[in-house]
Amino acid sequence: MPLWTAELATGAKSFVTNPVIGNRWLNEHGLHEKRLQLAERMADFRRRQMRHLVSPEHAEAYARDGFVICPNALPQEAFERLKHEVEDNAFSAQEMLQGHTVTRFTPITRRMLNELPEFGAFVTGRLFQGLLRYISSSNADPITFIHTVFAEPDRGKRDPQTVFHSDTFQPTAKCWYFLTDLAEDGGPFTYVPGSHRLTPERLAWEREQAIAACSQKRSMHTLGSFRVSDEELAGLGYREPAKLAVPANTLVVADTHGFHARGVSTKPTVRLGIYGSLRRNPFLPWAGLDPFSLPGLRWRQAEIHDAINNWKMRTGRFTGQPNVGDVKPLDPPRRWQ
């Protein structure tokens, strides 16, 4: 019980694995709402410490919409060089199968950053790092992957990522630097503008979901990533969802506490990009002091994740992203073979 209670001061979100977070009486008396409100206030406080990391235009876009779009993130010649560095090399990769979609995660290692000059300069550069850190409200080292999404609608059930959801109760950031064009019918990232901010309607909805999650069976919802129906969205007063069908060489960074989804693919599609994610303890008063920014650990989060994943495979433990060996990012997915 002391450990479960201590987790209230962290980013823990599961209503299943923590019986304090999942206590119905506590949530009927406002536990989930208070954590939401405090996490948002602390994120705003930390973000004010990091205004120097982004342009005023990008800060304004984030405040208004919850996401930032950066077209032509690189000069065309630099983009072509980076694209070839990614597509022409084979790397150790993991694959996750969800419904009719396979997502390939290729951990970005420090060696890749050093040996692929255009790629390394972009991933460690001010635009990519600054927006991720500002929107996440954490001046910390993100975890990064080369990210390939293969969708074939005829292969199976609906991809659960195509249902609108909030990743967690706290402000957090994910980004995609797209190396391929995204068509409207090809699974584009879709976001509900403004849904990164709490409103009275959103707080009331969150309260209902938290109480319900206390007694539901295990699911993404009870693990703290709340799903929302189109009908519920319409009643929350946010703007219409925006499909971000953008051309290659576009960087999109979003606060995935806001409602978002992968657009539905109506045809076989392949989407390639560079992916980053950053989430830390939401209740810290400081933006920096990140252990993964220390010498020897910096730029190695994905390597550590890969090592843990491979250890799970060797010891027979479950992993939702098994390693599939060395593959080029656009090679056909191994999970379908």
Side-chain angles (χ1 to χ4, degrees):
M1 184 61 70
L3 291 176
W4 290 328
T5 303
E7 280 194 334
L8 293 175
T10 72
K13 62 176 183 173
S14 174
F15 291 78
V16 176
T17 60
N18 186 315
V20 176
I21 292 173
N23 183 279
R24 184 181 181 92
W25 185 88
L26 289 175
N27 283 295
E28 286 175 345
H29 287 78
L31 173 63
H32 181 64
E33 296 156 86
K34 295 301 182 185
R35 292 185 86 214
L36 280 163
Q37 292 171 312
L38 180 56
E40 183 175 83
R41 287 199 297 270
M42 294 305 296
D44 289 340
F45 176 73
R46 292 190 302 270
R47 210 173 280 118
R48 287 193 290 272
Q49 303 171 36
M50 297 188 293
R51 287 174 177 166
H52 62 285
L53 295 180
V54 296
S55 69
E57 295 77 17
H58 287 160
E60 181 182 351
Y62 166 71
R64 180 185 64 243
D65 299 324
F67 62 88
V68 175
I69 303 176
C70 304
N72 300 312
L74 282 176
Q76 190 61 32
E77 289 186 1
F79 167 71
E80 294 296 340
R81 289 194 297 270
L82 184 151
K83 195 168 186 289
H84 284 300
E85 289 176 352
V86 170
E87 294 181 354
D88 295 346
N89 289 287
F91 311 99
S92 175
Q94 308 157 9
E95 289 183 356
M96 177 174 64
L97 176 63
Q98 292 183 302
H100 56 64
T101 301
V102 170
T103 305
R104 174 177 293 156
F105 293 92
T106 302
I108 295 176
T109 66
R110 192 149 66 171
R111 181 176 179 179
M112 291 163 63
L113 296 175
N114 291 334
E115 293 183 353
L116 305 175
E118 214 61 74
F119 176 81
F122 182 78
V123 173
T124 62
R126 181 178 178 84
L127 181 66
F128 187 92
Q129 291 287 328
L131 278 170
L132 252 181
R133 293 170 186 233
Y134 179 80
I135 290 178
S136 73
S137 74
S138 297
N139 195 2
D141 187 26
I143 189 168
T144 53
F145 299 87
I146 297 171
H147 191 248
T148 318
V149 180
F150 304 90
E152 292 195 10
D154 296 334
R155 277 192 178 266
K157 297 179 180 179
R158 180 178 179 179
D159 175 0
Q161 299 301 322
T162 62
V163 178
F164 279 109
H165 60 281
S166 169
D167 281 355
T168 183
F169 71 93
Q170 69 183 82
T172 183
K174 290 182 178 177
C175 74
W176 298 264
Y177 175 53
F178 295 109
L179 306 184
T180 50
D181 296 335
L182 269 69
E184 284 211 8
D185 59 355
F189 180 69
T190 306
Y191 195 93
V192 179
S195 63
H196 63 308
R197 303 303 299 190
L198 294 173
T199 62
E201 294 83 1
R202 175 69 177 272
L203 274 172
W205 180 87
E206 291 274 355
R207 174 187 174 84
E208 292 175 3
Q209 305 315 305
I211 294 170
C214 294
S215 55
Q216 291 175 347
K217 294 181 179 179
R218 189 180 184 94
S219 65
M220 295 299 292
H221 202 81
T222 60
L223 292 175
S225 180
F226 288 166
R227 268 48 190 166
V228 60
S229 69
D230 293 344
E231 293 75 20
E232 288 174 316
L233 264 181
L236 290 176
Y238 293 122
R239 285 170 278 161
E240 287 294 313
K243 282 188 176 182
L244 307 187
V246 297
N249 195 19
T250 299
L251 175 66
V252 174
V253 190
D255 182 344
T256 53
H257 166 64
F259 292 122
H260 63 284
R262 182 182 295 150
V264 175
S265 296
T266 59
K267 59 185 180 183
T269 57
V270 179
R271 166 179 133 182
L272 175 63
I274 299 172
Y275 165 81
S277 177
L278 183 51
R279 181 191 306 174
R280 291 181 73 199
N281 186 316
F283 305 116
L284 295 176
W286 55 82
L289 299 178
D290 170 40
F292 285 104
S293 297
L294 292 171
L297 291 177
R298 195 179 187 202
W299 312 126
R300 284 193 162 164
Q301 279 205 71
E303 293 179 60
I304 295 170
H305 167 87
D306 193 39
I308 294 171
N309 199 55
N310 291 338
W311 171 77
K312 287 181 177 180
M313 290 182 65
R314 288 195 305 271
T315 56
R317 289 167 170 79
F318 172 77
T319 172
Q321 297 175 204
N323 190 290
V324 295
D326 287 1
V327 291
K328 292 183 178 180
L330 292 177
D331 285 349
R334 300 284 176 88
R335 296 292 296 270
W336 283 344
Q337 294 178 6

